[in-house]
Amino acid sequence: MSVSSPKTSASAPTTDEKTFAFLRNTFRESEFRHNGDVEVPSEIQAREFGYIPFGKGMIRHLSYKFAGELAADLVKQAPSSVFCSNATYSNPTLPMDEKGWKGAELIFDIDANSIPTSCRARHSFWTCNSCGKVIRLAERPQRCPKCEGTSITHLHWSCAECLAASKDHAARLVSFLTDDFGVPGDSIRVYFSGNRGFHLHVGDPRFEAMEPAARAEVSNYIKGTGLRRPEAIDEEASVPMHGGWPDRIASLGNQDQPLRMEQILNALGSKIDESVTTDVHRIFRMPGTLHGNSGLLKMRVHDLEGFRPEYDPVVLGEEPVAVYVQGAPVFNLRGRAFGPYSDEEPEIPLYAAAYLMTKGLARVAE
Ligand SMILES: [Zn+2]
Ligand SMILES: [Zn+2]
């Protein structure tokens, strides 16, 4: 049985203990102040919880009996990330094979990284794990141009364009679920992931007992995997549909050049990560907690159209913090542009400082 952990990247080793302590305090204070925002799951005692302390590895297979016990632990531990299973179990603290799986909500994950946007080449960055230098290159560099180090990590970066694209794909997914699968709109909960994407939870009990293979079938339908030519869709799709893909393809209208399948899928499919949907033993970042690689809030989105991913999830304070930044590309938060920075000590608002620190790009100034 495979047990995968949520997508997280460790902070660069350049992050020092003083910076981890600063982040712990910042997250603890936010946790304390926004405790009521944490979305406590139903059947809390049947869920598996996990968290990642700053500078350390993931701790899983935890369980809480009631919401107050969870809240107290979050304030005490002040972790960088907190996760909860979409599955319910008879014994959530036992090893995976012995937990006694009872069912799991159907969840979809959309990440800006998997959408082929044109902005991607503009923010393809790498960081040197030895000296912290940020290198902008399309392909992974062999060596760091500054220290010659060979341990280099891809820096996941996003911009307004790819965040807008992931929002668009989230809207497409809602349309697939409501129009093609008949899921009532009010049983779909949309969340901003806190970094570069969206999570959609389907609170429809019809899907809870679904096996991974059936979840894969739903995912493939939404991505358009296996669609070959438009006229063949009806016979090949195994999911009943009203309108479905043929209507979507018809909505593109007559094109001067016949569209290739890949273009059709890019224009109409939703680039969900099917490995997330099919893994029924996963734990997901808890809504109402901060993301450990951004300091932004994972939050419920009630109005997807009007949601501003670089504004609404910014919940940390404005107070100025002096940081040392080895290197960072331009980024926008709460309507302000920051950077680019290179080997300098700017004084920036707490929310921007936490954004860079959690990505391993900045530390508390000496
Ligand atoms: Zn280097
Ligand atoms: Zn982008």
Side-chain angles (χ1 to χ4, degrees), residues 29-223:
E29 204 172 297
S30 171
E31 192 56 60
F32 189 70
R33 228 185 298 161
H34 300 283
N35 222 273
D37 298 343
V38 176
E39 203 178 285
V40 179
S42 61
E43 297 180 74
I44 183 170
Q45 72 292 340
R47 307 279 174 178
E48 179 200 351
F49 289 83
Y51 61 80
I52 304 177
F54 279 104
K56 301 206 176 87
M58 159 91 79
I59 301 167
R60 281 189 71 160
H61 311 292
L62 304 173
S63 150
Y64 299 100
K65 297 218 160 25
F66 51 94
E69 192 188 10
L70 165 68
D73 210 26
L74 295 190
V75 171
K76 184 174 156 216
Q77 307 291 346
S80 79
S81 293
V82 189
F83 307 95
C84 172
S85 65
N86 57 329
T88 51
Y89 301 101
S90 307
N91 297 293
T93 57
L94 293 184
M96 200 51 86
D97 291 327
E98 299 162 33
K99 281 188 194 319
W101 189 85
K102 298 205 286 191
E105 241 182 356
L106 182 62
I107 294 192
F108 297 94
D109 175 65
I110 291 170
D111 192 288
N113 204 34
S114 52
I115 304 173
T117 51
S118 60
C119 59
R120 216 192 268 186
R122 289 200 299 275
H123 51 75
S124 177
F125 297 104
W126 309 83
T127 46
C128 169
N129 294 328
S130 310
C131 74
K133 183 170 179 59
V134 173
I135 307 145
R136 188 181 144 181
L137 262 185
E139 301 297 327
R140 175 185 295 274
Q142 294 289 324
R143 286 178 179 284
C144 166
K146 188 177 172 194
C147 76
E148 300 270 299
T150 52
S151 170
I152 288 165
T153 312
H154 185 226
L155 175 59
H156 293 287
W157 205 252
S158 57
C159 72
E161 185 181 335
C162 43
L163 288 169
S166 57
K167 195 166 104 167
D168 177 42
H169 281 249
R172 294 181 192 186
L173 173 55
V174 170
S175 149
F176 276 111
L177 291 171
T178 54
D179 299 344
D180 298 32
F181 290 94
V183 176
D186 59 6
S187 57
I188 300 170
R189 305 195 307 284
V190 180
Y191 298 95
F192 177 62
S193 72
N195 201 11
R196 294 169 306 135
F198 292 86
H199 295 158
L200 273 82
H201 295 221
V202 180
D204 186 328
R206 286 183 299 162
F207 296 109
E208 293 239 332
M210 266 169 96
E211 294 291 324
R215 292 175 197 242
E217 216 170 299
V218 173
S219 302
N220 287 337
Y221 176 81
I222 290 166
K223 291 178 83 170

